Amino acid sequence: MFTQQAQFDDGSHVGLHDATALTIAQSQAVLYRCAIINPCDRPADPALVDIWGAHRCLRDHILPWRRIGGAVVILTHKPEIFQQQALALTLRYGPVRMAITTEQHLFRAISESHVAALTERAENRVPDAISSRTWNARLMLVMSILVVLGTLVLFAMSPLTGFVVLSFWAVITLATNTILKAAAAIVGVFSRPTDADHLPIAAENLPVFTILIPLYKEKEIAAHLLERVKLIDYPRDRLDVCLVMEADDATTRASLGLTNLPSWIRPIAVPKGTLKTKPRALNYALDFARGTLVGVYDAEDAPAPDQLRKVARHFANRGEKVACLQGVLDYYNAPANWLTRCFTLEYAGWFRVVLPGLERLGLVVPLGGTTLFFRRHVLEKLGAWDAHNVTEDADLGVRLARRGYRTELIATTTQEEANGRFWPWVKQRSRWLKGYAITYGVHMRDPAKLYRDLGARRFWGFQILFAGTLSQFVLAPVLWSFWVMPFGFNHPMGHYLQGWVLISVVAMFIFSELTNMFVLALGVTKAEKMWLIKWIPTMHLYFPMAALAAYKGFYELTFKPFYWDKTTHGVLLPNKGAGKATGSPARQASDG
């Protein structure tokens, strides 16, 4: 544990802030005239737990303990839940009796006795048919070799034909992507992320909100993270912040070990498994969540203090089909260097223009990995996150759409730390593009079913957004080659680019550049960072890095598809950057 210790009356130990829970448990035991039991010292019968299911025991806050005197003793820290489940428990176990424990001991006892089952569940919640864990790397290798050999043969037989084919596909995908982006921009010119225009919810009516914050080898970020989390304006008795870390992550544990955590912030250690990814950690922690609403933040996030109240209000005033809310992401260290400025420009266009436009067009919304909020029961119904997908957020956005649920953008901002170093940026982007490719491949296993699930408009939007984006990055050098023509150099396509064909291609290139510039300018205008507009022309030097990232990502598709390239946080915090990054991240988040 990371807090001071207080002693149970039976000799075991709990965190100091759980002394209150012990007092409550003792009062409940007196009130209900039942025993108080510590299942960590006197373990439960695993077979009894298996009957109900370890994850259901966690969700229902009950622990079938032992069979004594012809009845099964059910431990709980919520007697009202035992009373609600009494009939179902009796049908499953026969006669049952209640005993009291604390939440900490109940969770700990189940997690220790059923570590294998809970770990396996965290890795396999999503059905095989729509999970990337069945990704066949060997088949991918064979297909990659065949594609490369086929391309080489085509170029050997006719270099011109090969270049024409690649150029045609590059130009077509550029045109469709540009049209989609332009449509989203037009829809988004006078729009902003949705903010439910309703009266606030009284504090006593706010739902319990669980926030999952996955951490891994976070040495620099811990102190900043806790400062920001403590600024969240939400009733503490209804706030459940879970710091989710790997059990063998000594770096993060040591960093947090110097801090006394309040009762509403608790660490959750994820046992070692067959892989180590963010979605696997989220899946494991979800079973321990207390809330009916679940949110996800990253370690470096600085959410607006009123964010959770806005989210709770929005969910309360939307139908059940609105299952996910995506907040706006921005960067608090934009002035640190050129790369962070470009990253901020890119995100401003994406989160403030393109994504709201996709939502209003009724298309699939690929989620960002943070500032995400879900109705818990829907998240569980969908199988939560795909533990093997390195862009679990985009995949979940597609699965939500396939099941008929809606994602809405909400008018609240979270400030993040932009990746401002070249190779870490490439590694991060390669992971994203690799995940996009895997997500596309998984959902295209059965195109006909995907078409039925999404409908024509969303199906073709999905094709443009995923296949088109991947094609653009891979074939970027082909598109760059066209820029030699204005300088009088010969181009392999020069013979074909005559008359109206030449005019159409030139017009499309100009339209694409103007659309990109407009989206970026509109994005930073909405973000109130007009000073970044002068950096838009330099984006021509920024996006080529993504081509390098795409090749790295496609290489990993074949040899290590589930490898998670970790991004180090706390490198370019505002006080370490230069320029206009003034004020604390928390203050900037509030201002955002």
Side-chain angles (χ1 to χ4, degrees):
M1 292 297 296
F2 304 120
T3 57
Q4 294 174 290
Q5 300 289 299
Q7 196 171 42
F8 237 123
D9 57 3
D10 63 359
S12 60
H13 290 76
V14 292
L16 181 60
H17 54 67
D18 288 312
T20 301
L22 174 56
T23 301
I24 293 173
Q26 291 170 334
S27 299
Q28 290 174 331
V30 172
L31 178 63
Y32 289 94
R33 298 181 180 180
C34 58
I36 178 169
I37 297 172
N38 178 1
C40 297
D41 285 351
R42 303 167 65 188
D45 181 350
L48 293 176
V49 177
D50 290 339
I51 292 174
W52 196 256
H55 68 281
R56 289 186 64 196
C57 290
L58 292 170
R59 182 196 64 192
D60 296 336
H61 298 266
I62 62 172
L63 174 56
W65 185 56
R66 297 179 183 178
R67 189 177 297 276
I68 300 176
V72 173
V73 177
I74 307 293
L75 307 189
T76 185
H77 63 101
K78 292 186 175 182
E80 67 277 9
I81 290 183
F82 172 83
Q83 293 172 342
Q84 294 169 3
Q85 297 277 13
L87 178 58
L89 288 167
T90 300
L91 290 174
R92 190 64 61 90
Y93 292 102
V96 294
R97 291 192 290 121
M98 182 178 71
I100 301 296
T101 189
T102 66
E103 179 187 62
Q104 183 193 31
H105 281 79
L106 187 147
F107 281 0
R108 179 182 164 192
I110 295 174
S111 64
E112 290 180 351
S113 65
H114 285 73
V115 60
L118 293 173
T119 302
E120 191 275 339
R121 172 175 162 81
E123 296 180 359
N124 301 285
R125 293 183 74 144
V126 176
D128 283 348
I130 53 174
S131 171
S132 62
R133 69 175 169 274
T134 54
W135 182 267
N136 192 329
R138 181 173 298 179
L139 177 61
M140 181 66 189
L141 175 60
V142 173
M143 292 179 61
S144 299
I145 293 174
L146 291 176
V147 169
V148 171
L149 289 177
T151 303
L152 292 176
V153 170
L154 178 61
F155 271 84
M157 295 176 60
S158 175
L160 180 61
T161 302
F163 201 88
V164 167
V165 170
L166 293 183
S167 298
F168 176 78
W169 183 248
V171 170
I172 288 296
T173 55
L174 176 63
T176 55
N177 268 33
T178 299
I179 292 171
L180 179 62
K181 187 179 294 185
I186 292 171
V187 171
V189 169
F190 301 106
S191 68
R192 55 179 298 172
T194 308
D195 188 5
D197 186 17
H198 297 280
L199 294 176
I201 304 174
E204 62 272 15
N205 294 326
L206 286 169
V208 176
F209 215 133
T210 291
I211 297 296
L212 305 178
I213 307 179
L215 307 172
Y216 186 59
K217 294 185 178 179
E218 304 290 355
K219 181 179 180 180
E220 299 290 338
I221 205 72
H224 301 281
L225 168 67
L226 295 177
E227 286 178 9
R228 296 164 191 165
V229 168
K230 289 176 181 178
L231 289 174
I232 293 175
D233 176 23
Y234 204 81
R236 296 302 187 242
D237 64 334
R238 296 171 184 270
L239 183 58
D240 174 34
V241 176
C242 300
L243 306 180
V244 187
M245 66 197 74
E246 299 293 332
D248 59 356
D249 182 5
T251 301
T252 304
R253 294 175 73 95
S255 180
L256 290 175
L258 302 175
T259 306
N260 288 326
L261 300 178
S263 60
W264 48 277
I265 301 179
R266 56 192 172 114
I268 295 180
V270 182
K272 186 178 180 179
T274 61
L275 73 162
K276 189 175 292 183
T277 62
K278 173 183 173 181
R280 171 184 175 270
L282 292 174
N283 280 344
Y284 183 85
L286 182 61
D287 281 333
F288 295 83
R290 298 168 180 157
T292 56
L293 298 181
V294 175
V296 178
Y297 288 139
D298 279 342
E300 77 275 21
D301 287 355
D306 65 345
Q307 190 167 95
L308 298 190
R309 287 182 180 269
K310 281 189 174 183
V311 171
R313 183 179 68 187
H314 197 104
F315 272 126
N317 291 283
R318 290 292 189 271
E320 284 292 310
K321 285 299 181 181
V322 177
C324 174
L325 299 180
Q326 169 75 71
V328 175
L329 302 184
D330 206 338
Y331 292 124
Y332 49 65
N333 65 332
N337 59 35
W338 171 76
L339 195 53
T340 58
R341 294 182 185 103
C342 291
F343 214 153
T344 304
L345 276 165
E346 181 186 13
Y347 259 42
W350 182 249
F351 280 95
R352 298 180 187 272
V353 180
V354 177
L355 283 187
L358 294 178
E359 176 208 323
R360 284 165 173 74
L361 290 170
L363 302 178
V364 173
V365 177
L367 305 176
T370 181
T371 315
L372 288 171
F373 309 98
F374 304 92
R375 298 186 192 273
R376 179 179 177 176
H377 72 277
V378 174
L379 187 58
E380 292 180 329
K381 182 179 179 181
L382 266 63
W385 294 273
D386 184 351
H388 290 73
N389 195 317
V390 294
T391 51
E392 78 294 338
D393 39 14
D395 168 72
L396 184 52
V398 178
R399 286 192 285 122
L400 281 164
R402 294 189 69 168
R403 296 290 291 271
Y405 292 106
R406 290 182 54 205
T407 295
E408 292 187 353
L409 275 289
I410 186 170
T412 183
T413 302
T414 293
Q415 302 283 341
E416 288 194 309
E417 177 193 350
N419 198 331
R421 297 178 298 160
F422 170 73
W423 189 242
W425 186 98
V426 170
K427 292 199 299 182
Q428 182 186 60
R429 190 57 57 100
S430 70
R431 172 167 58 83
W432 294 353
L433 292 173
K434 177 174 68 174
Y436 255 53
I438 290 177
T439 297
Y440 181 76
V442 165
H443 289 282
M444 283 293 289
R445 287 170 176 168
D446 188 344
K449 188 175 189 312
L450 180 64
Y451 186 91
R452 292 193 300 270
D453 290 345
L454 294 179
R457 181 175 55 178
R458 289 192 297 176
F459 176 84
W460 292 114
F462 171 81
Q463 301 300 323
I464 296 171
L465 196 59
F466 283 81
T469 297
L470 293 167
S471 297
Q472 284 294 287
F473 286 122
V474 172
L475 298 178
V478 176
L479 293 173
W480 299 338
S481 69
F482 283 90
W483 290 104
V484 305
M485 298 179 67
F487 298 97
F489 292 96
N490 291 325
H491 189 277
M493 290 287 291
H495 176 72
Y496 297 93
L497 297 178
Q498 304 290 332
W500 67 269
V501 177
L502 176 61
I503 294 174
S504 299
V505 171
V506 171
M508 188 272 298
F509 270 96
I510 294 174
F511 178 61
S512 176
E513 290 298 318
L514 292 176
T515 298
N516 287 333
M517 294 175 66
F518 176 71
V519 166
L520 295 175
L522 180 60
V524 294
T525 300
K526 289 190 173 189
E528 299 182 358
K529 293 183 177 179
M530 298 286 290
W531 63 274
L532 283 170
I533 287 181
K534 64 184 179 183
W535 294 95
I536 290 178
T538 70
M539 296 295 283
H540 288 90
L541 303 175
Y542 171 80
F543 284 116
M545 295 191 303
L548 175 61
Y551 300 136
K552 178 179 180 295
F554 274 92
Y555 168 82
E556 291 180 355
L557 274 177
T558 300
F559 296 101
K560 45 182 180 179
F562 308 134
Y563 172 67
W564 189 281
D565 240 334
K566 171 75 171 62
T567 301
T568 302
H569 302 131
V571 177
L572 289 173
L573 295 175
N575 61 342
K576 295 184 180 182
K580 298 181 178 67
T582 58
S584 71
R587 174 62 183 274
Q588 292 180 43
S590 179
D591 293 344

